[in-house]
Amino acid sequence: MNNSFQDAVVTKYNIFNSLFLSLPYRGIFQTGSLLPILTQQSETGFQEGKSPKEIIEHFFSELLETATPKERADLLFAFIQYIERQVVLFDSVEDAAFDLTHDLTGKGSVNYLTDRLDSEELKKKLLAKLEDFSVRIVLTAHPTQFYSGKVLGIINDLEDAIKKNDFTEVNQLLLQLGKTAFINHEKPTPFDEAVSLCWFLENVYYDAIPSILEKLINGLGMSVHDWPYPNVYRLGFWPGGDRDGNPFVNPEITLQVAARLRETLLRGYYRDLRTLRRRLTFKGVDEAVALAERKMNSTIFGPFEEGYSNAQELIDELLKSREVLVSKHQGLFVELLDNFILKLNIFGFFFASLDVRQDSRKHAKAWEDILKRLEKKVPLLKYSDYESWDEAKKIDLLLSLNIPLRDEDYEDELTKDILGSIRAIKTIQHNNGEKGAHRYVISNNTSALNVMQVVALAKNLIADEEGKLALDVVPLFETVDDLANAPGIMRQLYENEYYRNHLNNRENHQTIMVGFSDGTKDGGYLRANWSIYRAKEELTQVSREFGIKVTFFDGRGGPPARGGGNNHNFYSSLGKDIEDKEIQLTVQGQTISSNYGTVTTAMYNLERLFTAGLENHLFRGSRVEEELSENDKVLIEQMAEAAYNSYLDLKNHPMFVKYLDKKTPLRFYGQTNIGSRPTKRGNDDEGLKFEDLRAIPFVGSWAQMKQNVPGFYGFGTAIQQLIEDGRKEDIIQLYKKSLFFRTLIENSMQSLSKAFFPATKYLRDEEDYTEFWDKMYNEFLLTRDLLLEVSAQKELLDSNNITKVSIKTRERIVLPLITIQQYALQMLAQDSKTLPVDVETYNQLIMRAMFGIINAARNSA
């Protein structure tokens, strides 16, 4: 597999890349001819210690000495556009060769799993596990995925043409790509983001998930018709429901997105029914399928009373047709009907569950508004008294209230939005079914009160006649302190009689979200990962103590700095002390298009998540030696604490925030029109505060600078300190033994592999930043060297050659972008009066370069 990547991807990319030069665009030959020279000059220039400004100026003085400043800037923009399309081409070539560079039926696949079930006992164990096991992928609209549906469609067709080696078709698609805009001229709305992600639901997941289940069912020797576990895979959706820090999400948007999800799915059903009609042409069956097609048309377009109100109505009709098909027509094409019914059982009429998310502080503000209004009617209840009460007394009061909560009674838009968003959940459940929206995620959850504030609101807004809530309230713990406090908070909730009864009505099931993003921003890479691991252990223990089935929902970003990297190994590495009833995680940004952008890649990654969740349950007996012992945990805790202190030392450096604000592209994230939400919480006029920074632009800015600090910083110092304490051999043995620790190292190696400090070395020359830059660079060198030593690898990612070669190739493609962006940042640091072109031109160079850099990394934010 390793050698095939060079032949099937890198060589093929170089061949197709030559087609760019023949495209009939003005200046394309000059752009394509000069770009390799800029790449070469960037490589040699950085090796010689030149600054980006020196490299760009040398390039122009040597090759285009007479060009005007405007002509030079225009050429740089042309380079950026050219490289953007080179990145798309490399993506397409890599995805087209996926089945050649990856073993689709090897370790981690469904086939590999079922082949290992060599006894009836193991098979029964698996089927028993599947009764309450599932994988839930939640698509989130974070500002790193910005290909429009038009571009995604071209990419999809390009991949097919490359597979067939159809040079004519590839050439035509490159022509189309050259004329199609890559960037949004206006900031997308949350609804726009939802529409963009619906493309993946419709074109990838709709086929990938049923195909995986069919493989599993066949591998187990069962039939699709009798399959009793349709919920093995579930989809979640955040665009339109996630209002944390996004003022553009409102109840109307939430309802529109839910309707779009339903409509997208029903259109898929309608197409499938039309296909079924072409095959099920037999007496007693054809009329029923034709009727189902007409009714589905009415369900989508109206008159709605003539359509289906839920998926079960359609399933029941089709099952009657199936009886006729089997009894009178020898079951001809029955597998097509069964596969369609399987889709109906998987996706219902909702496609993906729309989660609502809001910050806990907003709920507190809404309750302040509600209680102050109530105070005017009941003078004995004073909000000032409420503020002084302890948490238990506050919870008792909120739960005791039975009050009408009407939007028109409040002037504050926040209060109205929160009330409306909870009401929207009930409306969606009526239209799409309960699975369409049944979770409310509370970010920045710091107390049991934060959870009960939402419960009390929902109790007064959407409880049924018996007072029951069809709602799962999901606290999100993310910072180092919140993760440490989480077990105590959940114990307090489990001990509350009202909440305990609520869980009883929800099948004693509690979902807890743990987030890597702010954890890494707050405490660094190693501390965040280990804090989450320990929090999960303790949360599992307290949940089991109360008889609660806990599910962990991982907020994972694309890069290792936000919990990304190798998810399969991460979930395979969890021990017996962490509940594994379900695997739930967010996917976002380029991770959606890179890991789940095609049916083949989606099936590959979804299968590995599924089998990773079963590894510990089915085969733990053969992997006992991999489990972390108490001594291992003490060792990792010591490393995590040392790494945390090292990261805090950097974070508390007087130049830390100033560097982010003045020297990185952070301030440009909000101007790129790639996402609907602001890049930071809080008001713009308050200046940059570290605590208000959103994790994505925070991590993304380090990625743009090719420094990737959040993905490694402190790891090297931690290992060094333990080596000085005589623990080197213990760390090496831990690496050999523990998949969890190996995964931490391998994922951090990805961050290190994408770092390129020579691009920013010029900042050392600025007195303010000399010490700060050296501090980051020295930790980079230390971490790189020690991770190689511990893992006994000669180069980073030697253990994963495909990833290593892919990263190296991508980094070379975007090296000129790095040079151009850093050049523009360098120029902006000068007196604006001395600039050869206006400030806005340099701003645009920085922003345009961001797109290609992000896309090439595939998991950069």
Side-chain angles (χ1 to χ4, degrees):
M1 287 292 171
N2 290 346
N3 293 333
S4 66
F5 189 88
Q6 185 69 37
D7 298 332
V9 179
V10 179
T11 301
K12 204 168 187 179
Y13 163 75
N14 289 329
I15 294 170
F16 281 116
N17 187 40
S18 64
L19 292 177
F20 278 114
L21 290 175
S22 64
L23 297 181
Y25 298 135
R26 184 172 61 85
I28 190 79
F29 185 78
Q30 182 190 43
T31 303
S33 300
L34 291 176
L35 182 56
I37 299 174
L38 178 58
T39 301
Q40 185 61 47
Q41 290 195 2
S42 294
E43 287 177 335
T44 57
F46 285 130
Q47 286 172 4
E48 294 167 1
K50 291 181 180 178
S51 72
K53 182 171 179 284
E54 289 171 328
I55 292 170
I56 295 293
E57 289 179 347
H58 173 73
F59 170 80
F60 282 122
S61 65
E62 189 175 76
L63 297 167
L64 296 161
E65 188 176 5
T66 61
T68 66
K70 183 182 184 307
E71 288 171 338
R72 294 182 178 197
D74 288 345
L75 181 60
L76 294 180
F77 280 116
F79 283 155
I80 292 171
Q81 291 176 310
Y82 196 102
I83 295 168
E84 283 176 336
R85 284 151 181 81
Q86 284 183 312
V87 169
V88 168
L89 177 61
F90 188 80
D91 285 348
S92 299
V93 173
E94 189 170 24
D95 289 343
F98 194 85
D99 56 346
L100 299 175
T101 57
H102 294 75
D103 187 355
L104 302 186
T105 60
K107 187 176 181 181
S109 69
V110 163
N111 288 346
Y112 185 80
L113 174 73
T114 53
D115 287 346
R116 294 166 71 197
L117 302 177
D118 52 7
S119 69
E120 196 62 29
E121 182 183 352
L122 266 179
K123 181 179 175 181
K124 287 180 180 177
K125 195 175 181 181
L126 170 64
L127 294 177
K129 177 71 173 175
L130 293 182
E131 290 180 5
D132 63 354
F133 174 80
S134 69
V135 172
R136 184 191 295 234
I137 297 291
V138 181
L139 305 185
T140 73
H142 285 314
T144 55
Q145 174 58 52
F146 42 79
Y147 286 143
S148 65
K150 293 178 291 186
V151 176
L152 288 170
I154 297 170
I155 292 171
N156 194 59
D157 294 341
L158 186 59
E159 180 193 331
D160 290 339
I162 290 169
K163 276 185 178 178
K164 295 180 289 188
N165 289 322
D166 188 337
F167 281 80
T168 302
E169 178 73 6
V170 170
N171 197 59
Q172 288 292 314
L173 291 167
L174 292 179
L175 272 168
Q176 184 183 359
L177 203 62
K179 288 285 187 181
T180 304
F182 270 45
I183 62 172
N184 301 313
H185 294 292
E186 295 180 356
K187 190 178 282 288
T189 67
F191 185 73
D192 293 334
E193 292 172 329
V195 170
S196 177
L197 290 185
C198 279
W199 189 93
F200 292 97
L201 294 179
E202 181 179 10
N203 293 283
V204 178
Y205 290 94
Y206 183 74
D207 292 316
I209 289 175
S211 297
I212 295 171
L213 286 185
E214 288 163 29
K215 285 173 64 176
L216 177 63
I217 292 164
N218 292 334
L220 292 171
M222 300 173 69
S223 73
V224 173
H225 175 61
D226 296 323
W227 182 249
Y229 314 113
N231 293 326
V232 167
Y233 282 101
R234 298 282 299 280
L235 294 172
F237 208 73
W238 273 19
D242 180 10
R243 60 231 319 120
D244 174 23
N246 193 336
F248 307 110
V249 176
N250 56 45
E252 291 72 29
I253 289 287
T254 302
L255 292 171
Q256 287 174 21
V257 170
R260 182 59 177 243
L261 286 168
R262 185 176 187 269
E263 180 187 331
T264 301
L265 174 65
L266 297 185
R267 287 174 184 270
Y269 288 163
Y270 181 71
R271 289 192 296 270
D272 282 356
L273 282 167
R274 295 195 68 176
T275 302
L276 277 174
R277 275 194 69 188
R278 295 174 64 180
R279 293 292 172 267
L280 302 183
T281 53
F282 320 124
K283 185 178 180 181
V285 179
D286 58 343
E287 301 92 338
V289 178
L291 176 63
E293 183 190 338
R294 289 196 299 274
K295 289 177 71 173
M296 182 55 68
N297 187 72
S298 296
T299 307
I300 301 169
F301 303 108
F304 301 112
E305 63 274 9
E306 296 179 13
Y308 296 104
S309 60
N310 58 64
Q312 194 58 48
E313 289 181 13
L314 175 56
I315 291 171
D316 291 342
E317 288 183 7
L318 294 177
L319 286 174
K320 290 177 182 177
S321 299
R322 188 184 191 280
E323 291 176 9
V324 177
L325 192 62
V326 171
S327 63
K328 297 186 177 180
H329 303 289
Q330 293 78 48
L332 191 59
F333 297 125
V334 71
E335 69 280 358
L336 298 180
L337 186 58
D338 285 345
N339 291 342
F340 179 60
I341 293 172
L342 179 66
K343 283 184 178 178
L344 291 166
N345 279 314
I346 295 168
F347 302 122
F349 270 16
F350 63 96
F351 214 162
S353 298
L354 185 61
D355 291 346
V356 174
R357 182 172 78 132
Q358 182 56 283
D359 189 286
S360 65
R361 292 164 289 194
K362 301 295 179 67
H363 305 131
K365 289 289 291 181
W367 270 114
E368 180 182 350
D369 197 12
I370 294 166
L371 293 175
K372 283 184 176 177
R373 183 179 185 278
L374 195 59
E375 182 180 330
K376 295 175 183 176
K377 294 190 171 187
V378 186
L380 291 177
L381 176 62
K382 295 187 181 298
Y383 182 75
S384 57
D385 293 338
Y386 169 85
E387 277 191 302
S388 67
W389 293 349
D390 64 25
E391 189 176 20
K393 191 173 181 181
K394 287 179 180 178
I395 290 173
D396 288 343
L397 172 72
L398 297 184
L399 291 176
S400 71
L401 297 175
N402 291 296
I403 52 177
L405 295 173
R406 298 180 291 262
D407 289 5
E408 59 268 23
D409 292 338
Y410 301 93
E411 296 182 4
D412 189 280
E413 290 301 319
L414 171 64
T415 303
K416 290 182 178 181
D417 177 74
I418 287 174
L419 300 182
S421 67
I422 294 175
R423 277 199 208 90
I425 291 172
K426 191 163 189 176
T427 302
I428 296 168
Q429 290 183 349
H430 178 266
N431 295 334
N432 295 14
E434 184 181 315
K435 292 178 181 178
H438 64 95
R439 305 203 304 187
Y440 196 111
V441 181
I442 307 167
S443 55
N444 192 47
N445 198 106
T446 61
S447 67
L449 175 63
N450 291 159
V451 173
M452 300 309 278
Q453 286 167 335
V454 173
V455 170
L457 286 170
K459 169 179 171 284
N460 284 281
L461 287 166
I462 61 172
D464 65 15
E465 293 178 356
E466 297 178 6
K468 294 180 180 178
L469 287 174
L471 183 69
D472 299 310
V473 183
V474 182
L476 165 54
F477 303 107
E478 196 155 15
T479 68
V480 172
D481 288 343
D482 290 346
L483 287 164
N485 295 333
I489 291 170
M490 295 313 301
R491 176 178 292 278
Q492 193 176 343
L493 287 169
Y494 294 155
E495 289 175 343
N496 181 279
E497 183 179 359
Y498 183 92
Y499 194 73
R500 193 69 186 79
N501 288 334
H502 167 65
L503 289 181
N504 197 39
N505 293 327
R506 303 299 292 168
E507 299 180 337
N508 285 320
H509 180 248
Q510 173 70 54
T511 300
I512 299 173
M513 187 173 182
V514 290
F516 287 78
S517 301
D518 282 337
T520 306
K521 181 168 79 80
D522 179 47
Y525 173 75
L526 191 54
R527 177 77 274 174
N529 276 276
W530 185 238
S531 292
I532 287 170
Y533 188 99
R534 293 311 300 265
K536 283 184 174 182
E537 284 190 325
E538 294 177 30
L539 288 164
T540 297
Q541 183 180 354
V542 71
S543 298
R544 287 174 178 173
E545 181 184 330
F546 284 87
I548 303 297
K549 182 176 72 174
V550 66
T551 293
F552 294 112
F553 175 23
D554 290 311
R556 305 174 73 87
R562 298 189 55 242
N566 190 321
N567 287 331
H568 170 253
N569 281 350
F570 172 81
Y571 286 109
S572 294
S573 70
L574 302 181
K576 67 182 187 307
D577 296 326
I578 293 178
E579 199 66 82
D580 60 354
K581 298 288 186 185
E582 298 181 35
I583 285 178
Q584 295 191 14
L585 71 157
T586 56
V587 292
Q588 57 198 256
Q590 316 91 308
T591 309
I592 297 173
S593 53
S594 61
N595 289 0
Y596 306 95
T598 68
V599 172
T600 302
T601 58
M603 287 182 65
Y604 179 87
N605 287 294
L606 287 170
E607 285 185 41
R608 276 145 189 81
L609 280 177
F610 171 73
T611 59
L614 299 171
E615 278 287 326
N616 289 318
H617 181 76
L618 294 174
F619 307 111
R620 180 173 287 134
S622 61
R623 299 175 54 203
V624 172
E625 72 282 355
E626 295 181 10
E627 300 267 343
L628 291 174
S629 68
E630 286 306 311
N631 286 337
D632 296 331
K633 291 176 182 178
V634 169
L635 181 63
I636 298 176
E637 174 60 37
Q638 290 172 342
M639 281 191 282
E641 192 61 20
Y644 180 47
N645 290 331
S646 175
Y647 178 75
L648 284 183
D649 182 54
L650 180 75
K651 194 172 79 170
N652 293 332
H653 193 283
M655 288 297 112
F656 189 88
V657 173
K658 184 180 178 183
Y659 182 84
L660 280 170
D661 192 23
K662 303 298 183 185
K663 295 299 175 182
T664 78
L666 176 69
R667 61 192 185 277
F668 295 97
Y669 262 83
Q671 303 172 46
T672 53
N673 293 332
I674 56 176
S676 66
R677 66 172 58 192
T679 57
K680 71 182 188 74
R681 299 176 175 92
N683 300 321
D684 288 334
D685 55 7
E686 292 177 351
L688 183 64
K689 296 180 182 176
F690 178 81
E691 57 271 20
D692 289 337
L693 277 175
R694 299 203 74 97
I696 289 172
F698 174 77
V699 173
S701 295
W702 292 114
Q704 293 283 316
M705 297 294 283
K706 308 309 292 179
Q707 292 171 327
N708 294 331
V709 162
F712 71 84
Y713 200 91
F715 210 161
T717 293
I719 294 175
Q720 184 183 50
Q721 286 188 18
L722 268 79
I723 288 176
E724 290 172 356
D725 291 339
R727 306 296 300 277
K728 179 178 178 179
E729 191 56 36
D730 293 339
I731 296 172
I732 292 172
Q733 289 306 313
L734 181 65
Y735 175 82
K736 292 178 179 178
K737 164 189 176 180
S738 168
L739 180 59
F740 173 76
F741 190 60
R742 284 199 301 277
T743 302
L744 285 182
I745 285 182
E746 295 292 322
N747 286 342
S748 190
M749 281 184 173
Q750 283 197 34
S751 295
L752 293 165
S753 295
K754 295 176 184 178
F756 185 65
F757 275 82
T760 57
K761 190 177 180 182
Y762 68 92
L763 291 169
R764 284 195 79 253
D765 297 334
E766 297 188 31
E767 186 177 344
D768 283 354
Y769 300 107
T770 302
E771 181 196 343
F772 186 71
W773 192 91
D774 283 346
K775 197 176 187 68
M776 292 186 292
Y777 183 53
N778 290 336
E779 183 65 25
F780 164 79
L781 294 176
L782 180 66
T783 304
R784 181 197 64 188
D785 293 346
L786 288 180
L787 292 191
L788 288 173
E789 188 174 344
V790 167
S791 63
Q793 296 182 46
K794 293 182 179 178
E795 283 189 357
L796 295 172
L797 297 175
D798 268 351
S799 61
N800 188 344
N801 196 55
I802 289 175
T803 300
K804 181 175 78 170
V805 177
S806 178
I807 288 173
K808 279 186 175 181
T809 308
R810 290 173 178 279
E811 291 301 307
R812 191 168 195 273
I813 291 171
V814 297
L815 183 61
L817 283 187
I818 307 296
T819 308
I820 292 168
Q821 187 185 69
Q822 289 297 325
Y823 160 73
L825 285 166
Q826 230 180 322
M827 296 300 285
L828 286 179
Q830 295 182 189
D831 184 346
S832 60
K833 295 175 184 175
T834 67
L835 295 175
V837 293
D838 59 278
V839 167
E840 184 55 28
T841 297
Y842 295 110
N843 287 340
Q844 289 298 321
L845 282 172
I846 292 165
M847 284 188 284
R848 286 304 309 275
M850 288 174 73
F851 297 100
I853 295 169
I854 288 172
N855 277 336
R858 282 204 146 183
N859 64 355
S860 63

